[in-house]
Amino acid sequence: MSDLHPAIAEVRRAVRGALADLDPGTRVLVAVSGGADSMALAAAAHFVAERAVLQPMAIVVDHQLQEASGEVASSTADRLRALGYEDVVVSRVEVDGDGGPEAAARSARYRAIDEAADAMDAAVVLLGHTRDDQAESVLLGLARGSGAGSIKGMSPVTGRYRRPLLGVSRDTTRAACAAMKLEYWDDPHNVDDKYARVRVRQHVMPVLESELGPGVAAALARTAELLQSDDDALNEWANEVAAKAASGDVDDAGHAVLDAEVFATAPAAVRTRVLRRALLAAGVPGGDLRASQIADVDALVSRWRGQGEVHLPGGIRASRSYGRLLIARAGARSDPEASR
């Protein structure tokens, strides 16, 4: 009987399943922050990759948001090399941009990972999000009221990105690191209440567990999983409707134009997907877009009574003219006659 620690076995099993479809020689890039989740992932990924004849590589992103961030990134890279990684990249990024510090850091991180994956010819990138991260994402989505697309949380596979640990708890990754005597870094941002995700983690989840009993995180993650296939099907339907409704990407007045009458009779779940994509494409910041705002724009399509334009974040406005929905990009002149 194997004496392998159960936590190590669980993490390896999750990673093995995520990589099972890859051909020998495939390059796999593991994104590592230095925390327990990503270090447990890195250890399991190297173990699995060796046996599947894959080529494991790693990237450590230094956000430079803390005084000792460079030292943390360097020591993390050293630990990865000790695990057997030969190709380890440390990428230092500048965190700036709109949407708040969390969104800016995330954007900078993904840019760095994408650049490294391209440079290293990686077919797959592994991320260390856990079941607890998924549960927090579901609660944040519920709080925003932004629909199934947000409540379904993170997808196990998004393009070349894969999240093997969405079914593994944060406690398990910590236990796996402890069993392997693998050091990891506790990011102080993970206990800073100025971040919404931290408040959910430190205050909301404990109350839910206390009042509703253990297993809330697992139940929320399971809810996200069940919503995945439903949302995918609705998105395919929305693609078809959007293609029929598109009467031109942008008109002479700088408006995105959709034929409102084409998709007015589509189900609300489909219409709102079409509208959300159109609004984001026009320049509405994703973090600022609310379900109530989408509903106001939807009223221009499905409950048209001659109402005026809808003002949206980012200086975007939506209006209806001659059976067409006009979504004005920032700086565009408002001229309904241009879309007559």
Side-chain angles (χ1 to χ4, degrees), residues 125-255:
V125 177
L126 299 185
L127 303 175
H129 298 113
T130 66
R131 185 173 67 196
D132 298 85
D133 295 314
Q134 184 74 300
E136 292 158 9
S137 294
V138 172
L139 285 177
L140 288 168
L142 284 168
R144 287 193 296 266
S146 46
S150 182
I151 299 171
K152 74 175 185 178
M154 296 172 282
S155 174
V157 179
T158 306
R160 64 182 164 190
Y161 284 94
R162 301 188 182 190
R163 300 176 176 86
L165 305 186
L166 286 182
V168 177
S169 73
R170 192 173 291 139
D171 287 343
T172 297
T173 62
R174 288 179 174 268
C177 287
M180 290 183 285
K181 296 181 172 53
L182 185 58
E183 293 184 18
Y184 57 85
W185 175 61
D186 276 321
D187 186 348
H189 284 167
N190 289 335
V191 292
D192 189 339
D193 273 1
K194 73 180 180 181
Y195 299 110
R197 184 174 290 272
V198 173
R199 295 194 296 274
V200 169
R201 181 178 306 159
Q202 303 229 112
H203 305 298
V204 178
M205 287 300 297
V207 170
L208 291 175
E209 294 278 355
S210 173
E211 297 299 322
L212 302 178
V216 171
L220 288 169
R222 190 161 56 249
T223 297
E225 183 178 354
L226 291 171
L227 280 170
Q228 291 281 343
S229 58
D230 291 351
D231 191 60
D232 289 344
L234 287 169
N235 281 333
E236 288 184 19
W237 192 350
N239 288 340
E240 296 174 3
V241 172
K244 293 177 181 177
S247 58
D249 291 334
V250 181
D251 71 359
D252 293 337
H255 298 97

Side-chain angles (χ1 to χ4, degrees), residues 12 28 116 140 166 234 256 286 288 324:
R12 286 180 180 176
V28 178
L140 288 168
L166 286 182
L234 287 169
D288 296 334
R324 286 171 171 76

Side-chain angles (χ1 to χ4, degrees), residues 58-77:
I59 178 173
V60 182
V61 178
D62 175 9
H63 297 86
Q64 302 188 89
L65 295 176
Q66 297 163 353
E67 187 174 343
S69 66
E71 296 175 15
V72 171
S74 179
S75 61
T76 298

Side-chain angles (χ1 to χ4, degrees), residues 251-281:
D251 71 359
D252 293 337
H255 298 97
V257 182
L258 292 171
D259 189 332
E261 296 176 353
V262 167
F263 67 108
T265 58
V270 174
R271 290 197 312 271
T272 53
R273 278 166 171 75
V274 174
L275 293 172
R276 185 176 190 278
R277 293 177 195 171
L279 294 173
L280 293 176

Side-chain angles (χ1 to χ4, degrees), residues 260 263-276 279 289-305 307-308 310 312 318-320 325 327:
F263 67 108
T265 58
V270 174
R271 290 197 312 271
T272 53
R273 278 166 171 75
V274 174
L275 293 172
R276 185 176 190 278
L279 294 173
L289 184 58
R290 296 291 181 263
S292 59
Q293 295 163 336
I294 297 175
D296 289 340
V297 179
D298 181 48
L300 298 175
V301 175
S302 59
R303 299 184 302 281
W304 174 240
R305 298 291 185 275
Q307 59 265 45
V310 176
L312 299 152
S319 60
R320 177 164 171 161
L325 181 68
I327 302 174

